[in-house]
Amino acid sequence: MPPTRQTTRSFHLAGVRLDAATAGDVIARVASFCRLRDGRSRSVCLVNAFSIVSAQDDPEFLKAINESDLSIIDGVPVAWVGRRLAQAPCERLSGPDLMHMLLFDPEYADLRHFVYGGSQETLTRLEFRYSRGGTQNPRRIVGTWSPP
């Protein structure tokens, strides 16, 4: 059975559900979501202190985090508190770090990515680094879009 939110140790901080995990566990979990071919989408939230404060005033945002398949700690202060509350490993993992590991590590070379957002210049640099010139496994990024 693939890993799901229910098999992850979680805790709540100011009403926001966070999953206690190491960076390696999070990366492996996200990769397992990508490899599933069951037609179901997955949601992963990267949560820092600003997200927790924002969720206090926005019930829809709070609901989105709490109902996500994985709620990743993205902030050192949140990781500190998480280790105390969960009594388990709680490592910070930023979005750029997660993306880099999934795009660079040969273990995840089978994954394909579509990158949405940012400037066209940034997307072009990312595509070059991970798909054409900067990796031994080309075509990891299969498309990009920089909205107006």
Side-chain angles (χ1 to χ4, degrees):
M1 180 170 143
T4 63
R5 176 168 51 104
Q6 288 74 28
T7 62
T8 303
R9 185 174 185 160
S10 63
F11 63 97
H12 284 80
L13 178 58
V16 176
R17 183 188 56 79
L18 296 157
D19 293 306
T22 65
D25 291 339
V26 167
I27 292 165
R29 178 73 49 85
V30 171
S32 75
F33 290 161
C34 295
R35 290 178 175 131
L36 292 173
R37 300 286 189 249
D38 61 0
R40 181 177 163 250
S41 62
R42 303 298 192 283
S43 63
V44 177
C45 294
L46 288 93
V47 181
N48 59 23
F50 181 77
S51 303
I52 293 169
V53 171
S54 297
Q56 304 310 296
D57 295 326
D58 187 340
E60 289 298 314
F61 185 50
L62 177 63
K63 181 179 178 186
I65 295 172
N66 287 346
E67 293 181 358
S68 67
D69 293 285
L70 192 58
S71 181
I72 301 170
I73 296 170
D74 179 8
V76 173
V78 179
W80 290 338
V81 173
R83 281 192 284 277
R84 302 267 308 178
L85 292 176
Q87 296 294 306
C90 291
E91 293 180 7
R92 173 198 179 269
L93 183 63
S94 70
D97 291 341
L98 172 63
M99 183 176 174
H100 174 73
M101 289 304 300
L102 291 172
L103 285 165
F104 187 76
D105 192 318
E107 181 177 347
Y108 309 114
D110 61 308
L111 302 180
R112 300 294 173 258
H113 307 267
F114 185 93
V115 183
Y116 172 84
S119 71
Q120 188 57 53
E121 178 186 345
T122 299
L123 293 175
T124 300
R125 284 195 326 249
L126 274 173
E127 190 173 19
F128 178 79
R129 179 175 184 188
Y130 292 110
S131 291
R132 291 184 287 199
T135 181
Q136 294 181 23
N137 301 93
R139 302 308 305 154
R140 286 187 156 187
I141 295 178
V142 297
T144 63
W145 187 46
S146 178

